[in-house]
Amino acid sequence: MATMNELYQSVILDHNRSPRNYRVMENADRHAEGYNPLCGDQLGVWLKLGDGDVIDDVSFQGSGCAISTASASMMTAAVKGKRRDEALELFDRFHGVVTGQRPAAEANLGKLAVFSGVAEFPVRVKCASLGWHALKAALERQDEPVVSTE
Ligand code: ZN
């Protein structure tokens, strides 16, 4: 059986090598940019919301370290098809785990739990949460770029 560390590495490497939903979205109705000055990661997130505020489509593009890219890639896969409120609730659970405020075991994050290890590394927390902060900003129609501060 793969150890947690091996699982962590293989999932992150896979999403870093072939990020999902990696493109600028034409005719998106929401967009936000995120920047993590500590690591130099920057990315944009685009959304298309449909009936009932369901996330019909989501994409991201940018440049950054493996953790920021893999986390944004997994974020897009996780929230596609979810309602706006469900995606914001998932943001809260993910953010609680990566900042060490909530035990991964009870957050029910599925594959996203591979990022729970970053809680011990404050700089990496910002990398792992950058795409999620941009998602949240886009959902809340925040026009200013997001600087990942936690
Ligand atoms: Zn980074």
Side-chain angles (χ1 to χ4, degrees):
M1 203 180 130
T3 66
M4 193 61 198
N5 199 40
E6 285 163 345
L7 174 68
Y8 170 83
Q9 291 189 357
S10 72
V11 171
I12 288 176
L13 286 175
D14 172 46
H15 278 266
N16 182 49
R17 206 177 291 132
S18 40
R20 317 301 195 268
N21 305 301
Y22 188 81
R23 67 183 193 283
V24 173
M25 194 189 297
E26 304 299 331
N27 66 28
D29 42 39
R30 306 278 178 107
H31 168 235
E33 293 286 328
Y35 177 51
N36 172 15
L38 284 182
C39 183
D41 311 313
Q42 54 182 29
L43 53 81
V45 168
W46 289 264
L47 293 173
K48 217 169 168 42
L49 294 182
D51 289 345
D53 270 355
V54 169
I55 299 173
D56 278 345
D57 202 4
V58 51
S59 70
F60 84 104
Q61 193 173 73
S63 63
C65 67
I67 290 183
S68 68
T69 302
S71 180
S73 170
M74 290 177 73
M75 176 278 288
T76 63
V79 303
K80 201 171 195 171
K82 284 195 163 49
R83 287 196 321 266
R84 180 181 177 281
D85 59 329
E86 293 172 327
L88 289 171
E89 194 271 336
L90 184 58
F91 168 94
D92 284 339
R93 275 189 282 141
F94 180 83
H95 191 251
V97 169
V98 297
T99 54
Q101 292 162 351
R102 185 172 183 157
E106 62 181 51
N108 198 20
L109 287 176
K111 273 200 244 171
L112 298 172
V114 297
F115 293 101
S116 60
V118 304
E120 294 167 44
F121 307 98
V123 174
R124 293 290 154 198
V125 171
K126 298 173 183 32
C127 301
S129 54
L130 182 63
W132 288 87
H133 279 293
L135 167 75
K136 189 172 194 232
L139 285 171
E140 292 174 345
R141 278 199 184 284
Q142 207 170 297
D143 291 328
E144 293 293 307
V146 183
V147 175
S148 186
T149 50
E150 56 184 36

